[in-house]
Amino acid sequence: MRKFVVLLALAVAVLMISGCIGSSVPTKIPMESEVQETTTQEENTQPETQEDYGSWASPWDVSKPVEIDGKKYYITSLKYEYRIRYPGSEEVKEYTVIKERKKTKIEVYGSNFNSESGEIEKVKIGEYEVYEYYTKLIPKSGDVLEVYVWTNGESDVMDMYFTFPVPATMIFAGQNFVAIKLISGDRTYEMYNPAGVGNYNYMPYENGDLGWFTNSEEVENLYGSFFAVYQFPFWSALEEENLYTPAEESFSYMGISYNYRITPQSTVVVAGHKFRTSKVEWTYSFTGQGSAKGYAVLTPSLPVPLQLEGVFAVQGQAWYAYMKLLDIGLKEA
């Protein structure tokens, strides 16, 4: 029954992806690049003391603690390489993405109408403890983008999209939104929401134009491509599989099919911890709509892939995505 549900979800996902990508077809699609293990160290044998069962039980969910070597940790930061090729593009764009989240303190501002001068004035409200979500997007060429989002406590929305290379404009939603600041080259934007810290005496304060971010085709493609990978329903099929055991699966129904192969690999060391890994290769197709091919290197202990690469073709259009985890920050729960 679960396989059937996953297949139906695949069909929905293909249709969703078709509405997110462009109208042109790339002339070349890079694929099957040489696999490079995501780690600073590698061992060729698997420890006999490791458990014999491990599934990818919570794909992409970084809001919950992870269990490593019998202890629980929160993921506080990520650093990964990300490559994408947009439909219609002639090149693969490369980025380094740094994500961090932590408690900190910031000055909060608001605005007030001066009845004497008739002008809107900036008002310093005070210093508050907030939760900071930080993004640093470093392109191979072009300006670095830094995004600070501050919330009154941890945010379910920001945690859900913490892995994304760029945040969405939905960050303005929610009662606990306090402030945001974006910096890229000589362009800046900031906005403070006094209500986010319980102060309703002042209006929000805004400085700069946000249009360069919200209207950016590059930002749109970065977010859209990662959303397609993040929402790929195939991940759910792995929740039933033991990644420590070699396996192959083929399934089809009503024009929708997928195939995958699980190959246990070696152990790797990330952030000072050992992880057993498996390579999962997949293909899927939806007759008359699209197809996809790719692989991911996974460890059951982490909800993010150590590496993935895939090509997605939908209704004659195609795009390519590659991700490699470089580092991860952990804090004992």
Side-chain angles (χ1 to χ4, degrees), residues 154-162 170-171 173-174:
E154 296 182 56
S155 165
D156 291 340
V157 172
M158 293 303 299
D159 284 339
M160 182 182 300
Y161 295 98
F162 179 67
M170 67 179 66
I171 57 181

Side-chain angles (χ1 to χ4, degrees), residues 107-114 119-128 178-179 190-197 199-207:
E107 293 286 352
V108 177
Y109 299 90
S111 61
N112 192 36
F113 179 72
N114 188 319
E119 296 181 352
I120 302 295
E121 298 177 337
K122 178 181 179 181
V123 179
K124 181 178 178 180
I125 296 176
E127 184 180 68
Y128 292 85
V178 176
E190 60 181 340
M191 188 186 79
Y192 292 85
N193 175 37
V197 292
N199 190 312
Y200 296 90
N201 297 322
Y202 298 98
M203 299 179 291
Y205 169 75
E206 183 179 24
N207 181 38

